[in-house]
Amino acid sequence: MRKNRKFSAEFKLQCVKEVLEEYKSHKEVCRKYQLDSHQLRKWMEHYHNDGEKYFYEEHRGKGGGNPFAALHTSKSLSREERLELENLKLRIENERLKKGYIVKGVGANKEYVTTLDVNTKSSKS
């Protein structure tokens, strides 16, 4: 199975319909198109719940992702939106400090350190 493949809505529907209308087994369809069985079952569940429209609607980017990314990219934000995001960021940082930890590093190198560890000096003798 290849990772990170993108599938068109038509392909997803074709796979689902082969199982439902042509009475092929999940394994058979997965083998034929080199799919993960979990992926096909997920498509079938969406088809059962929402019908064909699910495959043609945009689902990405609705409510997910990091809202602070807009502060560091060239996305055009109004002054109010930028201030709102900065305010939210500061409130989150304030809550972290209240709980007694700070964040060191960025991205994958991010590390949460308690303020107790930062404030105490280690004595090397």
Side-chain angles (χ1 to χ4, degrees), residues 4-7 11-13 15-17 19-20 26 29-30 35-52 54-55 59-60:
N4 299 325
R5 291 191 296 173
K6 304 286 184 207
F7 301 102
F11 176 77
K12 294 174 185 180
L13 279 171
C15 293
V16 168
K17 287 183 177 183
V19 173
L20 296 176
H26 279 78
V29 174
C30 290
L35 294 172
D36 181 54
S37 63
H38 176 71
Q39 184 67 63
L40 180 58
R41 289 188 189 280
K42 213 163 85 174
W43 293 343
M44 294 197 55
E45 183 181 330
H46 288 300
Y47 181 80
H48 177 72
N49 293 335
D50 304 315
E52 289 186 17
Y54 174 84
F55 298 105
H59 296 290
R60 295 170 202 227

PDB file of all heavy atoms in Angstrom, residues 4-7 11-13 15-17 19-20 26 29-30 35-52 54-55 59-60:
ATOM      1  N   ASN A   4      -0.090   8.315   1.460  1.00  0.00           N
ATOM      2  CA  ASN A   4      -0.387   9.673   1.025  1.00  0.00           C
ATOM      3  C   ASN A   4      -0.888   9.770  -0.416  1.00  0.00           C
ATOM      4  O   ASN A   4      -0.572  10.705  -1.121  1.00  0.00           O
ATOM      5  CB  ASN A   4       0.836  10.581   1.203  1.00  0.00           C
ATOM      6  CG  ASN A   4       1.247  10.671   2.637  1.00  0.00           C
ATOM      7  OD1 ASN A   4       0.410  10.652   3.529  1.00  0.00           O
ATOM      8  ND2 ASN A   4       2.536  10.758   2.874  1.00  0.00           N
ATOM      9  N   ARG A   5      -1.637   8.803  -0.857  1.00  0.00           N
ATOM     10  CA  ARG A   5      -2.236   8.894  -2.183  1.00  0.00           C
ATOM     11  C   ARG A   5      -3.502   9.723  -2.094  1.00  0.00           C
ATOM     12  O   ARG A   5      -4.210   9.691  -1.099  1.00  0.00           O
ATOM     13  CB  ARG A   5      -2.590   7.509  -2.726  1.00  0.00           C
ATOM     14  CG  ARG A   5      -1.370   6.689  -3.065  1.00  0.00           C
ATOM     15  CD  ARG A   5      -1.741   5.462  -3.843  1.00  0.00           C
ATOM     16  NE  ARG A   5      -2.572   4.565  -3.051  1.00  0.00           N
ATOM     17  CZ  ARG A   5      -3.146   3.470  -3.535  1.00  0.00           C
ATOM     18  NH1 ARG A   5      -2.993   3.138  -4.789  1.00  0.00           N
ATOM     19  NH2 ARG A   5      -3.870   2.699  -2.758  1.00  0.00           N
ATOM     20  N   LYS A   6      -3.787  10.463  -3.132  1.00  0.00           N
ATOM     21  CA  LYS A   6      -5.019  11.247  -3.212  1.00  0.00           C
ATOM     22  C   LYS A   6      -5.961  10.527  -4.159  1.00  0.00           C
ATOM     23  O   LYS A   6      -5.559  10.080  -5.232  1.00  0.00           O
ATOM     24  CB  LYS A   6      -4.733  12.652  -3.756  1.00  0.00           C
ATOM     25  CG  LYS A   6      -3.705  13.413  -2.957  1.00  0.00           C
ATOM     26  CD  LYS A   6      -4.267  13.878  -1.649  1.00  0.00           C
ATOM     27  CE  LYS A   6      -3.237  14.715  -0.931  1.00  0.00           C
ATOM     28  NZ  LYS A   6      -3.359  14.726   0.467  1.00  0.00           N
ATOM     29  N   PHE A   7      -7.218  10.403  -3.749  1.00  0.00           N
ATOM     30  CA  PHE A   7      -8.203   9.697  -4.565  1.00  0.00           C
ATOM     31  C   PHE A   7      -9.301  10.655  -4.984  1.00  0.00           C
ATOM     32  O   PHE A   7      -9.775  11.463  -4.179  1.00  0.00           O
ATOM     33  CB  PHE A   7      -8.819   8.539  -3.775  1.00  0.00           C
ATOM     34  CG  PHE A   7      -7.813   7.533  -3.310  1.00  0.00           C
ATOM     35  CD1 PHE A   7      -7.377   7.526  -2.000  1.00  0.00           C
ATOM     36  CD2 PHE A   7      -7.294   6.596  -4.183  1.00  0.00           C
ATOM     37  CE1 PHE A   7      -6.464   6.597  -1.555  1.00  0.00           C
ATOM     38  CE2 PHE A   7      -6.372   5.656  -3.748  1.00  0.00           C
ATOM     39  CZ  PHE A   7      -5.949   5.663  -2.436  1.00  0.00           C
ATOM     40  N   PHE A  11     -13.342   7.863  -8.086  1.00  0.00           N
ATOM     41  CA  PHE A  11     -12.673   6.604  -7.740  1.00  0.00           C
ATOM     42  C   PHE A  11     -13.246   6.024  -6.456  1.00  0.00           C
ATOM     43  O   PHE A  11     -13.518   4.824  -6.368  1.00  0.00           O
ATOM     44  CB  PHE A  11     -11.162   6.832  -7.588  1.00  0.00           C
ATOM     45  CG  PHE A  11     -10.422   5.604  -7.138  1.00  0.00           C
ATOM     46  CD1 PHE A  11     -10.146   4.586  -8.032  1.00  0.00           C
ATOM     47  CD2 PHE A  11     -10.027   5.460  -5.820  1.00  0.00           C
ATOM     48  CE1 PHE A  11      -9.475   3.441  -7.615  1.00  0.00           C
ATOM     49  CE2 PHE A  11      -9.361   4.324  -5.398  1.00  0.00           C
ATOM     50  CZ  PHE A  11      -9.081   3.315  -6.306  1.00  0.00           C
ATOM     51  N   LYS A  12     -13.447   6.877  -5.456  1.00  0.00           N
ATOM     52  CA  LYS A  12     -14.001   6.416  -4.177  1.00  0.00           C
ATOM     53  C   LYS A  12     -15.389   5.807  -4.384  1.00  0.00           C
ATOM     54  O   LYS A  12     -15.692   4.734  -3.857  1.00  0.00           O
ATOM     55  CB  LYS A  12     -14.082   7.569  -3.181  1.00  0.00           C
ATOM     56  CG  LYS A  12     -12.735   8.108  -2.750  1.00  0.00           C
ATOM     57  CD  LYS A  12     -12.919   9.333  -1.877  1.00  0.00           C
ATOM     58  CE  LYS A  12     -11.594   9.980  -1.533  1.00  0.00           C
ATOM     59  NZ  LYS A  12     -11.757  11.170  -0.695  1.00  0.00           N
ATOM     60  N   LEU A  13     -16.209   6.502  -5.161  1.00  0.00           N
ATOM     61  CA  LEU A  13     -17.560   5.993  -5.439  1.00  0.00           C
ATOM     62  C   LEU A  13     -17.515   4.683  -6.200  1.00  0.00           C
ATOM     63  O   LEU A  13     -18.305   3.776  -5.942  1.00  0.00           O
ATOM     64  CB  LEU A  13     -18.358   7.026  -6.232  1.00  0.00           C
ATOM     65  CG  LEU A  13     -18.964   8.140  -5.398  1.00  0.00           C
ATOM     66  CD1 LEU A  13     -19.528   9.220  -6.296  1.00  0.00           C
ATOM     67  CD2 LEU A  13     -20.047   7.597  -4.494  1.00  0.00           C
ATOM     68  N   CYS A  15     -15.231   2.369  -6.055  1.00  0.00           N
ATOM     69  CA  CYS A  15     -14.860   1.308  -5.114  1.00  0.00           C
ATOM     70  C   CYS A  15     -16.039   0.925  -4.228  1.00  0.00           C
ATOM     71  O   CYS A  15     -16.320  -0.265  -4.024  1.00  0.00           O
ATOM     72  CB  CYS A  15     -13.681   1.755  -4.252  1.00  0.00           C
ATOM     73  SG  CYS A  15     -12.154   1.974  -5.171  1.00  0.00           S
ATOM     74  N   VAL A  16     -16.738   1.916  -3.717  1.00  0.00           N
ATOM     75  CA  VAL A  16     -17.881   1.658  -2.835  1.00  0.00           C
ATOM     76  C   VAL A  16     -18.967   0.911  -3.598  1.00  0.00           C
ATOM     77  O   VAL A  16     -19.539  -0.069  -3.102  1.00  0.00           O
ATOM     78  CB  VAL A  16     -18.419   2.988  -2.252  1.00  0.00           C
ATOM     79  CG1 VAL A  16     -19.762   2.784  -1.585  1.00  0.00           C
ATOM     80  CG2 VAL A  16     -17.420   3.576  -1.279  1.00  0.00           C
ATOM     81  N   LYS A  17     -19.228   1.348  -4.818  1.00  0.00           N
ATOM     82  CA  LYS A  17     -20.299   0.723  -5.604  1.00  0.00           C
ATOM     83  C   LYS A  17     -19.949  -0.698  -6.039  1.00  0.00           C
ATOM     84  O   LYS A  17     -20.834  -1.524  -6.201  1.00  0.00           O
ATOM     85  CB  LYS A  17     -20.656   1.601  -6.796  1.00  0.00           C
ATOM     86  CG  LYS A  17     -21.424   2.839  -6.350  1.00  0.00           C
ATOM     87  CD  LYS A  17     -21.846   3.688  -7.512  1.00  0.00           C
ATOM     88  CE  LYS A  17     -22.668   4.868  -7.007  1.00  0.00           C
ATOM     89  NZ  LYS A  17     -23.164   5.706  -8.091  1.00  0.00           N
ATOM     90  N   VAL A  19     -18.494  -2.801  -4.187  1.00  0.00           N
ATOM     91  CA  VAL A  19     -18.841  -3.632  -3.033  1.00  0.00           C
ATOM     92  C   VAL A  19     -20.359  -3.746  -2.904  1.00  0.00           C
ATOM     93  O   VAL A  19     -20.899  -4.838  -2.724  1.00  0.00           O
ATOM     94  CB  VAL A  19     -18.224  -3.066  -1.730  1.00  0.00           C
ATOM     95  CG1 VAL A  19     -18.728  -3.831  -0.527  1.00  0.00           C
ATOM     96  CG2 VAL A  19     -16.705  -3.106  -1.791  1.00  0.00           C
ATOM     97  N   LEU A  20     -21.042  -2.613  -3.019  1.00  0.00           N
ATOM     98  CA  LEU A  20     -22.484  -2.604  -2.771  1.00  0.00           C
ATOM     99  C   LEU A  20     -23.326  -3.124  -3.931  1.00  0.00           C
ATOM    100  O   LEU A  20     -24.265  -3.878  -3.719  1.00  0.00           O
ATOM    101  CB  LEU A  20     -22.939  -1.178  -2.417  1.00  0.00           C
ATOM    102  CG  LEU A  20     -22.365  -0.601  -1.132  1.00  0.00           C
ATOM    103  CD1 LEU A  20     -22.825   0.835  -0.958  1.00  0.00           C
ATOM    104  CD2 LEU A  20     -22.774  -1.434   0.067  1.00  0.00           C
ATOM    105  N   HIS A  26     -14.864  -6.854   0.286  1.00  0.00           N
ATOM    106  CA  HIS A  26     -13.936  -5.774   0.622  1.00  0.00           C
ATOM    107  C   HIS A  26     -12.516  -6.144   0.218  1.00  0.00           C
ATOM    108  O   HIS A  26     -11.802  -5.351  -0.383  1.00  0.00           O
ATOM    109  CB  HIS A  26     -13.955  -5.497   2.133  1.00  0.00           C
ATOM    110  CG  HIS A  26     -15.069  -4.643   2.579  1.00  0.00           C
ATOM    111  ND1 HIS A  26     -16.343  -5.115   2.745  1.00  0.00           N
ATOM    112  CD2 HIS A  26     -15.097  -3.330   2.893  1.00  0.00           C
ATOM    113  CE1 HIS A  26     -17.110  -4.139   3.156  1.00  0.00           C
ATOM    114  NE2 HIS A  26     -16.391  -3.036   3.260  1.00  0.00           N
ATOM    115  N   VAL A  29     -11.845  -5.893  -3.583  1.00  0.00           N
ATOM    116  CA  VAL A  29     -11.719  -4.511  -4.074  1.00  0.00           C
ATOM    117  C   VAL A  29     -10.409  -3.887  -3.580  1.00  0.00           C
ATOM    118  O   VAL A  29      -9.716  -3.207  -4.342  1.00  0.00           O
ATOM    119  CB  VAL A  29     -12.943  -3.666  -3.648  1.00  0.00           C
ATOM    120  CG1 VAL A  29     -12.754  -2.204  -4.010  1.00  0.00           C
ATOM    121  CG2 VAL A  29     -14.218  -4.215  -4.273  1.00  0.00           C
ATOM    122  N   CYS A  30     -10.064  -4.154  -2.344  1.00  0.00           N
ATOM    123  CA  CYS A  30      -8.815  -3.618  -1.792  1.00  0.00           C
ATOM    124  C   CYS A  30      -7.599  -4.163  -2.535  1.00  0.00           C
ATOM    125  O   CYS A  30      -6.662  -3.423  -2.833  1.00  0.00           O
ATOM    126  CB  CYS A  30      -8.699  -3.922  -0.304  1.00  0.00           C
ATOM    127  SG  CYS A  30      -9.858  -2.986   0.695  1.00  0.00           S
ATOM    128  N   LEU A  35      -5.731  -0.877  -1.935  1.00  0.00           N
ATOM    129  CA  LEU A  35      -6.255  -0.004  -0.888  1.00  0.00           C
ATOM    130  C   LEU A  35      -6.111  -0.658   0.470  1.00  0.00           C
ATOM    131  O   LEU A  35      -6.076  -1.878   0.576  1.00  0.00           O
ATOM    132  CB  LEU A  35      -7.749   0.273  -1.107  1.00  0.00           C
ATOM    133  CG  LEU A  35      -8.150   1.067  -2.323  1.00  0.00           C
ATOM    134  CD1 LEU A  35      -9.657   1.059  -2.463  1.00  0.00           C
ATOM    135  CD2 LEU A  35      -7.644   2.484  -2.202  1.00  0.00           C
ATOM    136  N   ASP A  36      -6.099   0.165   1.485  1.00  0.00           N
ATOM    137  CA  ASP A  36      -6.165  -0.315   2.850  1.00  0.00           C
ATOM    138  C   ASP A  36      -7.631  -0.601   3.154  1.00  0.00           C
ATOM    139  O   ASP A  36      -8.509   0.201   2.812  1.00  0.00           O
ATOM    140  CB  ASP A  36      -5.613   0.757   3.792  1.00  0.00           C
ATOM    141  CG  ASP A  36      -5.624   0.302   5.232  1.00  0.00           C
ATOM    142  OD1 ASP A  36      -5.074  -0.773   5.515  1.00  0.00           O
ATOM    143  OD2 ASP A  36      -6.209   1.022   6.062  1.00  0.00           O
ATOM    144  N   SER A  37      -7.917  -1.724   3.783  1.00  0.00           N
ATOM    145  CA  SER A  37      -9.315  -2.091   4.042  1.00  0.00           C
ATOM    146  C   SER A  37     -10.007  -1.066   4.945  1.00  0.00           C
ATOM    147  O   SER A  37     -11.199  -0.809   4.802  1.00  0.00           O
ATOM    148  CB  SER A  37      -9.407  -3.482   4.649  1.00  0.00           C
ATOM    149  OG  SER A  37      -8.762  -3.519   5.896  1.00  0.00           O
ATOM    150  N   HIS A  38      -9.254  -0.466   5.862  1.00  0.00           N
ATOM    151  CA  HIS A  38      -9.828   0.552   6.739  1.00  0.00           C
ATOM    152  C   HIS A  38     -10.318   1.750   5.918  1.00  0.00           C
ATOM    153  O   HIS A  38     -11.375   2.313   6.189  1.00  0.00           O
ATOM    154  CB  HIS A  38      -8.807   0.996   7.781  1.00  0.00           C
ATOM    155  CG  HIS A  38      -9.281   2.106   8.650  1.00  0.00           C
ATOM    156  ND1 HIS A  38     -10.248   1.922   9.605  1.00  0.00           N
ATOM    157  CD2 HIS A  38      -8.938   3.407   8.686  1.00  0.00           C
ATOM    158  CE1 HIS A  38     -10.479   3.077  10.203  1.00  0.00           C
ATOM    159  NE2 HIS A  38      -9.699   3.991   9.658  1.00  0.00           N
ATOM    160  N   GLN A  39      -9.537   2.128   4.916  1.00  0.00           N
ATOM    161  CA  GLN A  39      -9.908   3.270   4.074  1.00  0.00           C
ATOM    162  C   GLN A  39     -11.208   2.998   3.330  1.00  0.00           C
ATOM    163  O   GLN A  39     -12.108   3.829   3.308  1.00  0.00           O
ATOM    164  CB  GLN A  39      -8.791   3.559   3.066  1.00  0.00           C
ATOM    165  CG  GLN A  39      -9.044   4.768   2.211  1.00  0.00           C
ATOM    166  CD  GLN A  39      -9.023   6.044   3.016  1.00  0.00           C
ATOM    167  OE1 GLN A  39      -8.003   6.398   3.583  1.00  0.00           O
ATOM    168  NE2 GLN A  39     -10.134   6.738   3.088  1.00  0.00           N
ATOM    169  N   LEU A  40     -11.325   1.807   2.766  1.00  0.00           N
ATOM    170  CA  LEU A  40     -12.543   1.457   2.037  1.00  0.00           C
ATOM    171  C   LEU A  40     -13.748   1.419   2.975  1.00  0.00           C
ATOM    172  O   LEU A  40     -14.822   1.920   2.638  1.00  0.00           O
ATOM    173  CB  LEU A  40     -12.381   0.115   1.329  1.00  0.00           C
ATOM    174  CG  LEU A  40     -13.580  -0.367   0.523  1.00  0.00           C
ATOM    175  CD1 LEU A  40     -13.972   0.632  -0.548  1.00  0.00           C
ATOM    176  CD2 LEU A  40     -13.284  -1.731  -0.091  1.00  0.00           C
ATOM    177  N   ARG A  41     -13.570   0.875   4.153  1.00  0.00           N
ATOM    178  CA  ARG A  41     -14.676   0.842   5.116  1.00  0.00           C
ATOM    179  C   ARG A  41     -15.097   2.256   5.522  1.00  0.00           C
ATOM    180  O   ARG A  41     -16.275   2.532   5.710  1.00  0.00           O
ATOM    181  CB  ARG A  41     -14.293   0.028   6.347  1.00  0.00           C
ATOM    182  CG  ARG A  41     -14.222  -1.452   6.047  1.00  0.00           C
ATOM    183  CD  ARG A  41     -14.032  -2.275   7.298  1.00  0.00           C
ATOM    184  NE  ARG A  41     -13.752  -3.644   6.959  1.00  0.00           N
ATOM    185  CZ  ARG A  41     -14.672  -4.537   6.607  1.00  0.00           C
ATOM    186  NH1 ARG A  41     -15.927  -4.196   6.539  1.00  0.00           N
ATOM    187  NH2 ARG A  41     -14.322  -5.784   6.315  1.00  0.00           N
ATOM    188  N   LYS A  42     -14.134   3.163   5.640  1.00  0.00           N
ATOM    189  CA  LYS A  42     -14.436   4.543   5.972  1.00  0.00           C
ATOM    190  C   LYS A  42     -15.258   5.194   4.850  1.00  0.00           C
ATOM    191  O   LYS A  42     -16.242   5.884   5.110  1.00  0.00           O
ATOM    192  CB  LYS A  42     -13.119   5.309   6.178  1.00  0.00           C
ATOM    193  CG  LYS A  42     -13.203   6.402   7.203  1.00  0.00           C
ATOM    194  CD  LYS A  42     -11.842   6.845   7.678  1.00  0.00           C
ATOM    195  CE  LYS A  42     -11.256   7.874   6.745  1.00  0.00           C
ATOM    196  NZ  LYS A  42     -10.010   8.454   7.212  1.00  0.00           N
ATOM    197  N   TRP A  43     -14.863   4.949   3.608  1.00  0.00           N
ATOM    198  CA  TRP A  43     -15.611   5.486   2.469  1.00  0.00           C
ATOM    199  C   TRP A  43     -17.034   4.942   2.455  1.00  0.00           C
ATOM    200  O   TRP A  43     -17.985   5.656   2.196  1.00  0.00           O
ATOM    201  CB  TRP A  43     -14.935   5.154   1.155  1.00  0.00           C
ATOM    202  CG  TRP A  43     -13.608   5.821   0.944  1.00  0.00           C
ATOM    203  CD1 TRP A  43     -13.101   6.899   1.618  1.00  0.00           C
ATOM    204  CD2 TRP A  43     -12.617   5.441  -0.002  1.00  0.00           C
ATOM    205  NE1 TRP A  43     -11.865   7.207   1.141  1.00  0.00           N
ATOM    206  CE2 TRP A  43     -11.530   6.344   0.145  1.00  0.00           C
ATOM    207  CE3 TRP A  43     -12.517   4.440  -0.953  1.00  0.00           C
ATOM    208  CZ2 TRP A  43     -10.395   6.268  -0.639  1.00  0.00           C
ATOM    209  CZ3 TRP A  43     -11.380   4.372  -1.742  1.00  0.00           C
ATOM    210  CH2 TRP A  43     -10.323   5.269  -1.579  1.00  0.00           C
ATOM    211  N   MET A  44     -17.162   3.651   2.766  1.00  0.00           N
ATOM    212  CA  MET A  44     -18.488   3.038   2.773  1.00  0.00           C
ATOM    213  C   MET A  44     -19.357   3.625   3.878  1.00  0.00           C
ATOM    214  O   MET A  44     -20.544   3.853   3.682  1.00  0.00           O
ATOM    215  CB  MET A  44     -18.376   1.522   2.913  1.00  0.00           C
ATOM    216  CG  MET A  44     -17.716   0.915   1.699  1.00  0.00           C
ATOM    217  SD  MET A  44     -17.936  -0.831   1.510  1.00  0.00           S
ATOM    218  CE  MET A  44     -19.669  -1.036   1.554  1.00  0.00           C
ATOM    219  N   GLU A  45     -18.762   3.892   5.019  1.00  0.00           N
ATOM    220  CA  GLU A  45     -19.502   4.492   6.125  1.00  0.00           C
ATOM    221  C   GLU A  45     -19.995   5.890   5.749  1.00  0.00           C
ATOM    222  O   GLU A  45     -21.143   6.247   5.999  1.00  0.00           O
ATOM    223  CB  GLU A  45     -18.611   4.559   7.362  1.00  0.00           C
ATOM    224  CG  GLU A  45     -19.299   5.106   8.580  1.00  0.00           C
ATOM    225  CD  GLU A  45     -18.365   5.163   9.779  1.00  0.00           C
ATOM    226  OE1 GLU A  45     -17.448   4.324   9.877  1.00  0.00           O
ATOM    227  OE2 GLU A  45     -18.560   6.072  10.611  1.00  0.00           O
ATOM    228  N   HIS A  46     -19.115   6.682   5.130  1.00  0.00           N
ATOM    229  CA  HIS A  46     -19.516   8.021   4.691  1.00  0.00           C
ATOM    230  C   HIS A  46     -20.623   7.939   3.632  1.00  0.00           C
ATOM    231  O   HIS A  46     -21.555   8.738   3.645  1.00  0.00           O
ATOM    232  CB  HIS A  46     -18.323   8.793   4.122  1.00  0.00           C
ATOM    233  CG  HIS A  46     -17.352   9.237   5.162  1.00  0.00           C
ATOM    234  ND1 HIS A  46     -17.694  10.076   6.195  1.00  0.00           N
ATOM    235  CD2 HIS A  46     -16.041   8.949   5.332  1.00  0.00           C
ATOM    236  CE1 HIS A  46     -16.626  10.300   6.947  1.00  0.00           C
ATOM    237  NE2 HIS A  46     -15.619   9.617   6.450  1.00  0.00           N
ATOM    238  N   TYR A  47     -20.500   6.969   2.730  1.00  0.00           N
ATOM    239  CA  TYR A  47     -21.510   6.799   1.692  1.00  0.00           C
ATOM    240  C   TYR A  47     -22.852   6.426   2.328  1.00  0.00           C
ATOM    241  O   TYR A  47     -23.891   6.949   1.957  1.00  0.00           O
ATOM    242  CB  TYR A  47     -21.071   5.706   0.707  1.00  0.00           C
ATOM    243  CG  TYR A  47     -22.043   5.484  -0.421  1.00  0.00           C
ATOM    244  CD1 TYR A  47     -22.055   6.337  -1.520  1.00  0.00           C
ATOM    245  CD2 TYR A  47     -22.946   4.431  -0.389  1.00  0.00           C
ATOM    246  CE1 TYR A  47     -22.956   6.131  -2.561  1.00  0.00           C
ATOM    247  CE2 TYR A  47     -23.844   4.215  -1.416  1.00  0.00           C
ATOM    248  CZ  TYR A  47     -23.839   5.074  -2.505  1.00  0.00           C
ATOM    249  OH  TYR A  47     -24.737   4.883  -3.526  1.00  0.00           O
ATOM    250  N   HIS A  48     -22.817   5.542   3.306  1.00  0.00           N
ATOM    251  CA  HIS A  48     -24.038   5.118   3.995  1.00  0.00           C
ATOM    252  C   HIS A  48     -24.689   6.286   4.748  1.00  0.00           C
ATOM    253  O   HIS A  48     -25.905   6.456   4.712  1.00  0.00           O
ATOM    254  CB  HIS A  48     -23.710   3.980   4.972  1.00  0.00           C
ATOM    255  CG  HIS A  48     -24.887   3.522   5.778  1.00  0.00           C
ATOM    256  ND1 HIS A  48     -25.913   2.801   5.234  1.00  0.00           N
ATOM    257  CD2 HIS A  48     -25.193   3.715   7.076  1.00  0.00           C
ATOM    258  CE1 HIS A  48     -26.821   2.571   6.175  1.00  0.00           C
ATOM    259  NE2 HIS A  48     -26.398   3.114   7.310  1.00  0.00           N
ATOM    260  N   ASN A  49     -23.876   7.119   5.407  1.00  0.00           N
ATOM    261  CA  ASN A  49     -24.403   8.228   6.213  1.00  0.00           C
ATOM    262  C   ASN A  49     -24.820   9.440   5.378  1.00  0.00           C
ATOM    263  O   ASN A  49     -25.840  10.058   5.660  1.00  0.00           O
ATOM    264  CB  ASN A  49     -23.383   8.677   7.252  1.00  0.00           C
ATOM    265  CG  ASN A  49     -23.141   7.629   8.306  1.00  0.00           C
ATOM    266  OD1 ASN A  49     -23.992   6.791   8.568  1.00  0.00           O
ATOM    267  ND2 ASN A  49     -21.967   7.656   8.894  1.00  0.00           N
ATOM    268  N   ASP A  50     -24.018   9.797   4.371  1.00  0.00           N
ATOM    269  CA  ASP A  50     -24.231  11.058   3.657  1.00  0.00           C
ATOM    270  C   ASP A  50     -24.510  10.909   2.165  1.00  0.00           C
ATOM    271  O   ASP A  50     -24.783  11.899   1.499  1.00  0.00           O
ATOM    272  CB  ASP A  50     -23.009  11.966   3.834  1.00  0.00           C
ATOM    273  CG  ASP A  50     -22.693  12.219   5.298  1.00  0.00           C
ATOM    274  OD1 ASP A  50     -23.638  12.488   6.056  1.00  0.00           O
ATOM    275  OD2 ASP A  50     -21.511  12.142   5.670  1.00  0.00           O
ATOM    276  N   GLY A  51     -24.354   9.710   1.641  1.00  0.00           N
ATOM    277  CA  GLY A  51     -24.592   9.511   0.214  1.00  0.00           C
ATOM    278  C   GLY A  51     -23.439  10.008  -0.645  1.00  0.00           C
ATOM    279  O   GLY A  51     -22.356  10.308  -0.143  1.00  0.00           O
ATOM    280  N   GLU A  52     -23.693  10.123  -1.935  1.00  0.00           N
ATOM    281  CA  GLU A  52     -22.646  10.526  -2.885  1.00  0.00           C
ATOM    282  C   GLU A  52     -22.155  11.940  -2.646  1.00  0.00           C
ATOM    283  O   GLU A  52     -21.017  12.263  -2.948  1.00  0.00           O
ATOM    284  CB  GLU A  52     -23.159  10.397  -4.324  1.00  0.00           C
ATOM    285  CG  GLU A  52     -23.318   8.987  -4.779  1.00  0.00           C
ATOM    286  CD  GLU A  52     -23.679   8.892  -6.254  1.00  0.00           C
ATOM    287  OE1 GLU A  52     -23.492   9.880  -7.000  1.00  0.00           O
ATOM    288  OE2 GLU A  52     -24.141   7.814  -6.663  1.00  0.00           O
ATOM    289  N   TYR A  54     -21.187  13.404  -0.128  1.00  0.00           N
ATOM    290  CA  TYR A  54     -20.025  13.484   0.764  1.00  0.00           C
ATOM    291  C   TYR A  54     -18.729  13.558  -0.029  1.00  0.00           C
ATOM    292  O   TYR A  54     -17.823  14.318   0.302  1.00  0.00           O
ATOM    293  CB  TYR A  54     -19.971  12.287   1.715  1.00  0.00           C
ATOM    294  CG  TYR A  54     -18.697  12.283   2.526  1.00  0.00           C
ATOM    295  CD1 TYR A  54     -18.588  13.032   3.682  1.00  0.00           C
ATOM    296  CD2 TYR A  54     -17.585  11.564   2.103  1.00  0.00           C
ATOM    297  CE1 TYR A  54     -17.417  13.066   4.415  1.00  0.00           C
ATOM    298  CE2 TYR A  54     -16.402  11.591   2.822  1.00  0.00           C
ATOM    299  CZ  TYR A  54     -16.330  12.335   3.970  1.00  0.00           C
ATOM    300  OH  TYR A  54     -15.163  12.382   4.673  1.00  0.00           O
ATOM    301  N   PHE A  55     -18.633  12.789  -1.093  1.00  0.00           N
ATOM    302  CA  PHE A  55     -17.384  12.689  -1.843  1.00  0.00           C
ATOM    303  C   PHE A  55     -17.111  13.939  -2.683  1.00  0.00           C
ATOM    304  O   PHE A  55     -15.983  14.174  -3.085  1.00  0.00           O
ATOM    305  CB  PHE A  55     -17.397  11.446  -2.721  1.00  0.00           C
ATOM    306  CG  PHE A  55     -17.497  10.182  -1.915  1.00  0.00           C
ATOM    307  CD1 PHE A  55     -18.686   9.471  -1.847  1.00  0.00           C
ATOM    308  CD2 PHE A  55     -16.420   9.714  -1.196  1.00  0.00           C
ATOM    309  CE1 PHE A  55     -18.789   8.320  -1.096  1.00  0.00           C
ATOM    310  CE2 PHE A  55     -16.506   8.561  -0.430  1.00  0.00           C
ATOM    311  CZ  PHE A  55     -17.691   7.866  -0.384  1.00  0.00           C
ATOM    312  N   HIS A  59     -14.201  18.912   2.632  1.00  0.00           N
ATOM    313  CA  HIS A  59     -14.244  18.672   4.073  1.00  0.00           C
ATOM    314  C   HIS A  59     -12.992  19.179   4.763  1.00  0.00           C
ATOM    315  O   HIS A  59     -12.941  19.245   5.968  1.00  0.00           O
ATOM    316  CB  HIS A  59     -14.395  17.180   4.358  1.00  0.00           C
ATOM    317  CG  HIS A  59     -15.683  16.635   3.855  1.00  0.00           C
ATOM    318  ND1 HIS A  59     -16.885  16.944   4.425  1.00  0.00           N
ATOM    319  CD2 HIS A  59     -15.964  15.840   2.811  1.00  0.00           C
ATOM    320  CE1 HIS A  59     -17.854  16.341   3.769  1.00  0.00           C
ATOM    321  NE2 HIS A  59     -17.319  15.673   2.792  1.00  0.00           N
ATOM    322  N   ARG A  60     -11.996  19.501   4.019  1.00  0.00           N
ATOM    323  CA  ARG A  60     -10.739  19.888   4.645  1.00  0.00           C
ATOM    324  C   ARG A  60     -10.747  21.349   5.028  1.00  0.00           C
ATOM    325  O   ARG A  60     -11.346  22.174   4.367  1.00  0.00           O
ATOM    326  CB  ARG A  60      -9.585  19.627   3.693  1.00  0.00           C
ATOM    327  CG  ARG A  60      -9.452  18.158   3.450  1.00  0.00           C
ATOM    328  CD  ARG A  60      -8.498  17.885   2.361  1.00  0.00           C
ATOM    329  NE  ARG A  60      -8.843  16.544   1.881  1.00  0.00           N
ATOM    330  CZ  ARG A  60      -7.983  15.617   1.678  1.00  0.00           C
ATOM    331  NH1 ARG A  60      -6.759  15.838   1.840  1.00  0.00           N
ATOM    332  NH2 ARG A  60      -8.347  14.426   1.274  1.00  0.00           N
TER     333      ARG A  60
END
